Amino acid sequence: MYSSSIPIRSDFLIAPGSLDSYIRLGLLPNVKTRSIRLLSRRQRSPRASLCSDPLLVQAARGNAISRPPAWMMRQAGRYMDAYKKLAKKHPSFRERSETVDLIVEISLQPWKAFQPDGVIIFSDILTPLPAFGVPFDIEEVKGPIIHSPICDEEALKCLHPIDLEKLQFVGESLSILREEVGEKAAVLGFVGAPWTIATYVVEGGSTRTYTTIKRMCHTAPRVLKVLLSHLTQAISDYVIFQVKSGAQCIQIFDSWGGQLPPNIWEQWSKPYIEQIVSLVRKECPQIPLVLYINGNGGLLERMTGIGVDVIGLDWTVDMADGRRRLGYNVNVQGNVDPAYLFSPLPVLTDEIHRVVRCAGGRGHILNLGHGVLMNTPEEAVAHFFDVVRGLSYDTLFEDGVTAQELEPLKL
């Protein structure tokens, strides 16, 4: 495992009353254009938790803990030398993501190298499609290919209830990961949101414009509603299956929800995610649910009523601003720009500290604002996790002022 000798920067321990430091951290606007006042300080509760759940699960529930837990989207995969060597022996992505031994090995590669607080199963949001009637292939250049897109009522006839027997490789892999990791980290499962999955099913694969499915909202709304409803039930069943197999936290990726105007997202994506949350809560009431939407800056306020435990922020949303917009009773995840992993390590350290300070001392899971990029230096990934393991909320907030205690004055 990589280690770093770079110390935590002391200039991030802000002295009370230092407005310049708050501005530099991004917690406040320039005082020339906006004034702030400090609210009364609350008595801090002890940071140590007696809960035996992994740190990430505790953070997702909003428990008081000693530091923010951290993991990375796409932390297992193509930037790691170990993965590249394995991929040469097993060039098919479907084989790597649908064979138990390979899934477990790849999922554990970053765990063994960097010791993140979350171990996410190596899989794909499209993995469950064949189990409910939508076969697909993955081509090296084009990516996922669905040869029979669903765009009309006739095509809907191929759909059937999800056959979880066809996904036993996922369940078995989660069970093994849970045994391997124990309580040292949380095992994460994940699914795609109905709208995001529907973009592939309707468009026949990846797209940059989403014109076919967006047109369907107006030209074939009944077909689209039936498709989304079917996907909602299948995905809900798949989430419950993952939890019963060993997943301790589930992330819902509405990766392409941010491609919709906010009012259209509220009509064609949000209700179906709400249904998933409701169905999962009935079967697995204690499981933390995380919702991530790429490009969610225009959707934050609309995301708060869905019922998930954690809302992920991408790197285009300032963490302090996101906290204010969501409200401090909402737990958050994110949101270091993945490009910071290509920066000098002291710069990466500073950005981690800034994000953590802006997120406040509770209810935050540190992550990137999107997945790890190709060619990311493994040394930087190691440094990311080394830094967060060295953090302490009691030290970062020793002045007693937390992000939620800063409130803009109305001018």
Side-chain angles (χ1 to χ4, degrees):
M1 177 177 168
Y2 294 99
S3 61
S4 171
S5 59
I6 298 176
I8 295 177
R9 290 273 297 271
S10 60
D11 60 344
F12 278 82
L13 305 179
I14 301 173
S18 176
L19 294 180
D20 289 339
S21 296
Y22 283 113
I23 294 167
R24 187 170 68 253
L25 278 171
L27 285 168
L28 298 176
N30 192 304
V31 293
K32 293 181 180 179
T33 60
R34 204 171 191 180
S35 299
I36 60 98
R37 62 183 173 88
L38 294 179
L39 302 180
S40 60
R41 297 176 182 176
R42 299 173 298 177
Q43 184 176 359
R44 290 181 294 166
S45 58
R47 291 290 178 188
S49 174
L50 299 177
C51 181
S52 61
D53 288 327
L55 201 65
L56 188 148
V57 173
Q58 295 187 56
R61 292 174 178 157
N63 294 352
I65 51 179
S66 60
R67 65 166 177 86
W71 69 285
M72 292 181 179
M73 290 179 280
R74 293 182 182 168
Q75 70 184 14
R78 53 193 179 178
Y79 72 98
M80 293 189 71
D81 287 339
Y83 177 83
K84 294 174 185 176
K85 292 177 181 178
L86 185 146
K88 287 182 179 180
K89 297 180 181 178
H90 306 276
S92 166
F93 177 83
R94 291 287 298 273
E95 180 190 5
R96 295 193 299 273
S97 62
E98 297 180 13
T99 305
V100 172
D101 291 346
L102 298 179
I103 294 171
V104 171
E105 181 178 353
I106 294 169
S107 301
L108 289 176
Q109 283 175 348
W111 160 250
K112 292 176 180 178
F114 314 122
Q115 296 288 294
D117 295 299
V119 175
I120 190 166
I121 185 173
F122 182 76
S123 187
D124 192 87
I125 60 172
L126 301 185
T127 293
L129 266 61
F132 54 80
V134 184
F136 72 96
D137 294 320
I138 293 183
E139 296 184 5
E140 192 66 29
V141 177
K142 292 184 177 181
I145 302 293
I146 294 173
H147 297 288
S148 300
I150 297 177
C151 300
D152 53 39
E153 291 193 23
E154 183 65 25
L156 289 171
K157 294 179 181 178
C158 73
L159 298 175
H160 56 74
I162 191 167
D163 182 358
L164 295 173
E165 288 295 322
K166 294 182 178 179
L167 295 167
Q168 287 302 313
F169 58 87
V170 172
E172 187 176 344
S173 298
L174 286 167
S175 298
I176 295 172
L177 289 174
R178 185 71 178 271
E179 292 177 4
E180 290 285 337
V181 174
E183 298 304 319
K184 296 178 182 178
V187 173
L188 292 92
F190 68 93
V191 295
W195 171 266
T196 288
I197 298 297
T199 64
Y200 293 95
V201 174
V202 169
E203 300 281 351
S206 302
T207 177
R208 294 183 178 181
T209 60
Y210 307 92
T211 52
T212 303
I213 191 169
K214 286 185 176 182
R215 183 174 65 246
M216 282 183 69
C217 293
H218 312 289
T219 61
R222 180 187 173 280
V223 174
L224 188 53
K225 286 179 181 178
V226 171
L227 173 60
L228 289 169
S229 295
H230 188 91
L231 292 174
T232 297
Q233 184 62 59
I235 293 167
S236 300
D237 292 342
Y238 187 40
V239 169
I240 294 167
F241 170 73
Q242 290 188 43
V243 173
K244 292 183 176 180
S245 297
Q248 296 165 288
C249 182
I250 298 289
Q251 178 151 313
I252 302 170
F253 285 90
D254 195 6
S255 304
W256 310 129
Q259 298 295 319
L260 292 171
N263 64 308
I264 300 299
W265 179 81
E266 282 200 299
Q267 180 181 359
W268 289 101
S269 185
K270 181 177 180 178
Y272 301 97
I273 299 174
E274 289 177 325
Q275 289 178 40
I276 291 174
V277 172
S278 178
L279 290 169
V280 172
R281 291 289 187 222
K282 291 178 182 178
E283 292 289 329
C284 313
Q286 299 302 317
I287 196 73
L289 300 174
V290 182
L291 175 60
Y292 173 82
I293 301 176
N294 189 30
N296 63 2
L299 300 172
L300 289 187
E301 290 81 1
R302 291 170 166 85
M303 294 171 68
T304 56
I306 283 182
V308 295
D309 301 276
V310 183
I311 290 178
L313 304 178
D314 74 10
W315 77 93
T316 65
V317 177
D318 179 78
M319 177 58 78
D321 184 51
R323 271 299 209 183
R324 294 188 187 102
R325 291 172 60 189
L326 289 169
Y328 294 98
N329 60 331
V330 177
N331 303 317
V332 294
Q333 179 175 274
N335 69 337
V336 175
D337 183 347
Y340 267 97
L341 294 169
F342 293 85
S343 302
L345 297 185
V347 174
L348 175 59
T349 300
D350 287 356
E351 179 62 7
I352 292 170
H353 291 180
R354 186 193 70 82
V355 169
V356 172
R357 284 285 311 204
C358 289
R362 182 181 290 201
H364 174 222
I365 299 170
L366 184 65
N367 205 315
L368 303 179
H370 199 267
V372 181
L373 300 173
M374 286 187 67
N375 301 317
T376 294
E378 291 187 48
E379 179 187 12
V381 176
H383 181 72
F384 181 98
F385 290 114
D386 284 345
V387 170
V388 73
R389 275 191 296 274
L391 295 180
S392 166
Y393 280 139
D394 284 338
T395 302
L396 284 169
F397 297 104
E398 66 181 0
D399 52 28
V401 178
T402 61
Q404 54 263 53
E405 293 175 308
L406 300 171
E407 183 181 59
L409 280 177
K410 294 182 180 179
L411 299 180

